């Protein structure tokens, strides 16, 4: 009870802060799983702080429990981001599937998921909030965002990224219809401010006509293939999709792409910037919006403030549409005049 009262106090604090202006240049700051450098990622506290810090949009990683409840986590293995390993035994195999590694969220019933609390998974970040915040479901966040939109009188967008969609489709419990039903329930179906992302082309087919919710193709590592490749026989890698013909193919089923910053402009070992790739221009030519992530996420330790601001400046100057980051407060500062 004490933990939930503390969370309620943090959420209520937003009422006393004024609205944040959007960037005049149109570059959106998208908080990846909230302000995850401060609070455990994917918690309502992390999302709420990101809103207070001026993020235009929240990137939300959506997984689905075995019994079909859509939840917010940042890894399939719940042991990475929650206290599940101390609460329950490792799940056994499902009929027709090999034994699972770890504690997969898709092997977990919602009744068990609801008992969990979040913990900080990234080394070097503050672990003082571990065990304090519950693990939310998607609808928890939708309620919070609608409340903040009213209080702060501004738009707060969402980028909902579906994970493991192939797994649930194979089990006969596809994620896409459930997501669309939830958006319909909250009056968000067709909203241009609620984007739906996935890394599997066939997932877009299962979404069907989303009635206006923009679609974002989330590209993984250049040598990796989408999870549906083995079933569909499509041999293209994510790197192939970044080529001009691949981008044109994406435009047939998506409105935007999300890539890692290294795919747009890498850095040398000494921190210097490599020449920019042609991806930003190629995406514009193909009619795709371009969102860039990989800033201070689990594979990228927090950079000193000056280095982080300089990197944001460089990437913004390439003409991208949005920055996806764990540290939205710095990205908001970087896009201000003189930031």
């Amino acid at each position: 009870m004490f933990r939930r009262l503390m969370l309620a106090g943090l959420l209520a604090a937003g009422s006393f802060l004024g609205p944040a202006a959007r960037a005049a240049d149109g570059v959106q700051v998208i908080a990846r799983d909230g302000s995850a450098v401060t609070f455990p990622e994917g918690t309502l506290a992390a999302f709420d702080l990101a809103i207070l810090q001026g993020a235009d949009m929240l990137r939300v990683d959506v997984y689905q429990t075995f019994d079909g409840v859509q939840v917010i986590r940042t890894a399939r293995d719940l042991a990475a981001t929650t206290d599940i390993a101390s609460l329950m035994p490792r799940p056994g195999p499902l009929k027709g599937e090999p034994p699972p590694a770890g504690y997969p969220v898709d092997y977990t019933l919602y009744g068990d998921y609801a008992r969990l609390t979040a913990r900080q998974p990234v080394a070097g970040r503050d672990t003082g909030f571990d065990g304090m915040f519950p693990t939310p479901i998607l609808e928890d966040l939708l309620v919070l965002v609608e409340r903040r939109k009213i209080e702060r009188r501004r738009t707060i967008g969402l980028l909902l990224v579906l994970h493991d969609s192939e797994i649930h489709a194979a089990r006969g419990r596809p994620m896409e219809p459930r997501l669309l039903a939830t958006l319909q329930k909250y009056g968000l179906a067709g909203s241009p401010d609620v984007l739906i992302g996935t890394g599997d082309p066939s997932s877009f087919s299962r979404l069907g006509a989303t009635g206006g919710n923009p679609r974002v193709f989330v590209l993984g590592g250049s040598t990796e293939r989408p999870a549906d490749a083995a079933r569909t026989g499509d041999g293209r890698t994510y790197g192939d999709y970044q080529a001009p013909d691949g981008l044109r193919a994406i435009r047939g089923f998506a409105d935007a792409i999300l890539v890692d910053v290294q795919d747009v402009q890498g850095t040398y070992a000494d921190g210097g910037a490599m020449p920019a790739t042609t991806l930003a221009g190629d995406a514009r030519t193909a009619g795709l919006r371009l969102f860039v992530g990989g800033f201070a996420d689990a594979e990228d330790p927090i950079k000193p403030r000056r280095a982080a601001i300089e990197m944001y400046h460089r990437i913004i100057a390439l003409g991208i549409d949005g920055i996806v980051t764990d540290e939205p407060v710095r990205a908001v500062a970087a896009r201000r005049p003189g930031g």
Side-chain angles (χ1 to χ4, degrees):
M1 175 62 71
F2 174 71
R3 290 171 179 165
R4 293 184 183 269
L5 286 173
M6 285 192 67
L7 176 58
L10 282 165
L11 302 183
S15 303
F16 300 98
L17 298 178
R22 292 180 61 138
D25 60 10
V27 176
Q28 292 184 304
V29 173
I30 305 168
R32 176 189 172 273
D33 302 304
S35 187
V37 298
T38 304
F39 291 129
E41 58 192 27
T43 58
L44 294 187
F47 287 119
D48 205 26
L49 180 57
I51 294 170
L52 302 182
Q53 290 175 338
D56 304 297
M57 185 178 293
L58 307 174
R59 174 196 161 145
V60 186
D61 289 301
V62 180
Y63 285 80
Q64 186 166 287
T65 62
F66 181 74
D67 47 349
V69 178
Q70 295 191 336
V71 302
I72 301 171
R73 283 294 85 209
T74 57
R76 184 183 180 217
D77 186 355
L78 289 170
T81 62
T82 77
D83 58 351
I84 191 171
S86 65
L87 295 178
M88 57 194 71
R90 184 171 297 182
L94 297 175
K95 183 177 180 180
E97 298 185 19
Y103 296 76
V105 64
D106 55 284
Y107 276 68
T108 305
L109 295 171
Y110 172 68
D112 291 327
Y113 175 87
R115 299 166 53 194
L116 307 179
T117 57
R119 68 181 185 86
Q120 174 61 259
V122 181
R125 295 183 183 173
D126 187 358
T127 59
F129 297 103
D130 286 7
M132 185 175 293
F133 302 114
T135 49
I137 66 174
L138 177 59
E139 291 193 55
D140 292 334
L141 179 62
L142 298 183
V143 171
L144 171 64
V145 169
E146 288 305 302
R147 177 180 173 184
R148 290 293 179 255
K149 285 161 63 175
I150 294 170
E151 291 174 345
R152 299 174 68 79
R153 298 182 179 88
R154 72 175 179 95
T155 299
I156 301 168
L158 294 168
L159 169 54
L160 307 177
V161 179
L162 299 179
H163 293 268
D164 298 336
S165 60
E166 277 291 292
I167 292 173
H168 293 287
R171 292 176 184 165
R173 299 173 180 171
M175 300 181 71
E176 296 82 3
R178 293 173 187 264
L179 176 63
L180 294 176
T182 299
L183 295 182
Q184 184 71 41
K185 175 181 176 181
Y186 287 90
L188 298 172
S191 170
D193 298 313
V194 179
L195 287 61
I196 301 174
T198 174
D200 299 329
S202 58
S203 182
F204 292 107
S205 298
R206 289 190 292 272
L207 280 168
T210 59
N213 293 107
R215 306 181 186 193
V216 182
F217 190 34
V218 181
L219 277 67
S222 60
T223 62
E224 299 174 3
R225 290 184 172 86
D228 60 2
R231 179 177 59 80
T232 64
D234 190 334
R236 284 177 291 187
T237 65
Y238 287 121
D240 294 330
Y241 276 112
Q242 290 188 26
D245 58 343
L247 295 170
R248 288 191 293 271
I250 293 172
R251 190 65 187 93
F253 57 82
D255 306 289
I257 57 173
L258 170 58
V259 301
D260 190 88
V261 63
Q262 299 297 320
D263 295 321
V264 176
Q265 185 176 41
T267 54
Y268 294 109
D270 63 1
M274 295 179 178
T277 70
T278 63
L279 183 56
D282 292 342
R284 283 194 297 272
T285 300
L288 293 166
R289 297 169 68 191
L290 175 62
F291 302 124
V292 180
F295 298 93
D297 60 17
E299 289 77 39
D300 183 13
I302 302 173
K303 295 179 174 62
R305 177 179 172 82
R306 183 180 298 276
I309 295 293
E310 289 176 352
M311 174 174 281
Y312 290 132
H313 283 164
R314 288 202 312 268
I315 301 304
I316 289 173
L318 297 176
I320 67 169
D321 296 283
I323 288 173
V324 182
T325 175
D326 287 12
E327 46 174 15
V329 67
R330 289 182 173 180
V332 169
R335 70 180 184 185
R336 294 193 191 110

